[in-house]
Amino acid sequence: MFQKILIANRGEIALRIQRACRELGISTVAVHSTADAEAMHVRLSDESVCIGPPPAKDSYLNIPAILSAASITGADAIHPGYGFLSENASFADMVDAHGLTFIGPSAEHIGMMGDKIAAKTAMAAVGVPLVPGSDGELPDLETARETAARIGYPVLIKAAAGGGGRGMKVARDPSEIEDAFRLARTESRTAFGNDAVYMEKYLDKPRHIELQIMADNHGNVVHFGERDCSLQRRHQKVLEEAGSPAISAVQRDALGETATAALRKLGYRNAGTLEFLYQDGQFAFIEMNTRLQVEHPVTEMLCDVDLVREQIRVASGARLGYEQRDVTFTGHAIECRITAEDPVTFVPTPGRVTAYHAPGGLGVRIDSALYAGYFVPPFYDSLIAKLIVHAPTREAAINRLRRALDEFAVVGIKTTIALHQRIVNDPEFQAGDYTIHWLEKFVARG
């Protein structure tokens, strides 16, 4: 087992990893920008190193500074969390080259799944169903026209190196294909330095279903069930559920068997999440995240497993120590992503938190690095807390979530708590009757 882990991240996820390390008896090193000098993950770490000024490119994306921090503190492993460098294959390679362990998949698999075209090709080769689309990259507009005509409108043009909804454009008929193709390439080049795009059939009423897996270095792969991440705004997840109200245990088992068999063939290791669109009883793979997900706590609550602890264990060379039949699914869990944004306009609201009260009680979990007096900086993602509830049934979980949201108080800045209160009181959400397009319409009608 590792003696000391450097956490190459900030905020609630850095604190989450620290907690897992502490329970394993592992010392932690926090890295931070000058803007995060008073952050909770810095305050609670065993050691901390300032790695640069506020802009992420000069601190949390500064690979030489992070590797230097690991060297001078004597860390023997690095956990990247999510975002920042977590899916950077070059970073994973450099960590290994410096004699450290990268707590995550291999650089090979990060690179493979980071290229959405390569990911789809790899998954198709091991029997995972795909959304109908182009055969690889769209090299020019004429190919885009021909492909759209073949698979049928509407179509979605997506960045090969994309994520977070950037580089995605819909063309609903032939008159829109040129603008969609050019805009997707331009946005992809600007956001990712890579203008390669591909095409998928645009589904009109899908749900976004993802499957959590864990694999060790000895060929063992298990899944921890599905999460329904269909409640999204501008392709950003807002609320997640485990399990999905739209699929059955039989469907979960079949999907899990397909996914684990595929990753076993690929020789994958550590945590990963396969993302699918689900419509009319069919699953279609869209991408894989080779890291811990923001929404991992709903799976932890459902399966009573510490996924970060498992990441650390298997990265150290340990076997999983259990088989698929040992994984259980109990009750229902829901997570709300609370952001420092105006709940109506969604304009970011950095500033000083003058008072803070987290909800509590049976089945309520808060993952947050907030405290009274903390200044939410304007330089990073606006996520400030995750509220997770667990209960025996979905109805009971919704009731518990409603109660917890009513208790949650963040004073001094605007947050999206009010948005989540609206969502949980909506009859369509309560009935589980929603798709990936539902939340945009819900927000628009006010």
Side-chain angles (χ1 to χ4, degrees), residues 164-221:
R166 291 171 293 180
M168 294 175 60
K169 299 298 174 185
V170 177
R172 299 186 180 279
D173 57 54
S175 69
E176 297 181 352
I177 191 70
E178 181 174 354
D179 283 348
F181 176 75
R182 297 193 190 285
L183 287 171
R185 291 189 69 174
T186 299
E187 193 171 306
S188 179
R189 185 186 308 111
T190 301
F192 310 110
N194 180 349
D195 67 358
V197 296
Y198 64 102
M199 183 181 293
E200 290 179 344
K201 176 70 175 175
Y202 180 77
L203 302 181
D204 60 351
K205 54 178 181 178
R207 295 184 83 112
H208 184 130
I209 305 294
E210 60 185 36
L211 192 80
Q212 176 70 60
I213 67 93
M214 187 70 69
D216 64 21
N217 299 341
H218 309 280
N220 302 303
V221 186

Side-chain angles (χ1 to χ4, degrees), residues 97-261:
H98 281 73
L100 305 167
T101 299
F102 181 81
I103 300 178
S106 67
E108 175 191 0
H109 286 121
I110 293 173
M112 175 192 298
M113 296 302 168
D115 182 322
K116 302 302 186 289
I117 295 173
K120 292 183 66 166
T121 301
M123 284 300 181
V126 290
V128 177
L130 306 180
V131 177
S134 60
D135 298 321
E137 180 184 350
L138 297 172
D140 51 47
L141 177 59
E142 187 56 35
T143 304
R145 292 188 195 278
E146 294 171 356
T147 304
R150 173 173 58 83
I151 66 177
Y153 287 92
V155 297
L156 182 64
I157 300 177
K158 304 174 69 173
R166 291 171 293 180
M168 294 175 60
K169 299 298 174 185
V170 177
R172 299 186 180 279
D173 57 54
S175 69
E176 297 181 352
I177 191 70
E178 181 174 354
D179 283 348
F181 176 75
R182 297 193 190 285
L183 287 171
R185 291 189 69 174
T186 299
E187 193 171 306
S188 179
R189 185 186 308 111
T190 301
F192 310 110
N194 180 349
D195 67 358
V197 296
Y198 64 102
M199 183 181 293
E200 290 179 344
K201 176 70 175 175
Y202 180 77
L203 302 181
D204 60 351
K205 54 178 181 178
R207 295 184 83 112
H208 184 130
I209 305 294
E210 60 185 36
L211 192 80
Q212 176 70 60
I213 67 93
M214 187 70 69
D216 64 21
N217 299 341
H218 309 280
N220 302 303
V221 186
V222 301
H223 73 85
F224 291 98
E226 86 284 359
R227 296 185 289 257
D228 195 320
C229 302
S230 302
L231 288 183
Q232 302 177 17
R233 177 181 175 272
R234 295 183 178 176
H235 305 289
Q236 297 292 316
K237 299 169 187 174
V238 172
L239 181 150
E240 301 96 2
E241 302 191 61
S244 170
I247 73 172
S248 67
V250 172
Q251 289 173 304
R252 168 200 288 162
D253 291 344
L255 182 64
E257 185 174 336
T258 298
T260 53

Side-chain angles (χ1 to χ4, degrees), residues 128-401:
V128 177
L130 306 180
V131 177
S134 60
D135 298 321
E137 180 184 350
L138 297 172
D140 51 47
L141 177 59
E142 187 56 35
T143 304
R145 292 188 195 278
E146 294 171 356
T147 304
R150 173 173 58 83
I151 66 177
Y153 287 92
V155 297
L156 182 64
I157 300 177
K158 304 174 69 173
R166 291 171 293 180
M168 294 175 60
K169 299 298 174 185
V170 177
R172 299 186 180 279
D173 57 54
S175 69
E176 297 181 352
I177 191 70
E178 181 174 354
D179 283 348
F181 176 75
R182 297 193 190 285
L183 287 171
R185 291 189 69 174
T186 299
E187 193 171 306
S188 179
R189 185 186 308 111
T190 301
F192 310 110
N194 180 349
D195 67 358
V197 296
Y198 64 102
M199 183 181 293
E200 290 179 344
K201 176 70 175 175
Y202 180 77
L203 302 181
D204 60 351
K205 54 178 181 178
R207 295 184 83 112
H208 184 130
I209 305 294
E210 60 185 36
L211 192 80
Q212 176 70 60
I213 67 93
M214 187 70 69
D216 64 21
N217 299 341
H218 309 280
N220 302 303
V221 186
V222 301
H223 73 85
F224 291 98
E226 86 284 359
R227 296 185 289 257
D228 195 320
C229 302
S230 302
L231 288 183
Q232 302 177 17
R233 177 181 175 272
R234 295 183 178 176
H235 305 289
Q236 297 292 316
K237 299 169 187 174
V238 172
L239 181 150
E240 301 96 2
E241 302 191 61
S244 170
I247 73 172
S248 67
V250 172
Q251 289 173 304
R252 168 200 288 162
D253 291 344
L255 182 64
E257 185 174 336
T258 298
T260 53
L263 294 184
R264 200 172 291 116
K265 290 177 184 176
L266 290 175
Y268 190 86
R269 71 180 193 222
N270 214 273
T273 298
L274 289 86
E275 302 198 354
F276 299 85
L277 292 181
Y278 172 74
Q279 182 173 302
D280 300 326
Q282 301 296 316
F283 292 94
F285 172 82
I286 50 174
E287 64 180 303
M288 182 176 185
N289 295 125
T290 52
R291 55 170 167 80
L292 192 68
Q293 294 279 93
V294 175
E295 59 273 18
H296 75 274
V298 288
T299 297
E300 293 185 326
M301 301 287 269
L302 191 74
C303 299
D304 191 26
V305 61
D306 184 331
L307 291 172
V308 178
R309 178 180 181 273
E310 293 304 285
Q311 279 192 293
I312 295 169
R313 286 185 60 255
V314 300
S316 73
R319 294 178 178 272
L320 286 178
Y322 46 85
E323 299 178 8
Q324 190 63 55
R325 64 173 177 265
D326 301 315
V327 178
T328 57
F329 307 95
T330 305
H332 194 85
I334 307 175
E335 173 183 291
C336 292
R337 298 192 189 193
I338 310 299
T339 57
E341 296 176 334
D342 185 290
V344 177
T345 66
F346 299 98
V347 173
T349 57
R352 184 79 59 188
V353 176
T354 56
Y356 174 71
H357 176 76
L362 182 65
V364 176
R365 167 177 167 179
I366 293 289
D367 279 20
S368 176
L370 285 189
Y371 59 87
Y374 175 67
F375 186 87
V376 177
F379 310 105
Y380 313 112
D381 186 271
S382 60
L383 180 69
I384 54 173
K386 299 184 306 198
L387 167 59
I388 311 100
V389 299
H390 180 257
T393 66
R394 184 172 186 267
E395 181 181 5
I398 291 173
N399 290 335
R400 182 162 286 166
L401 180 58

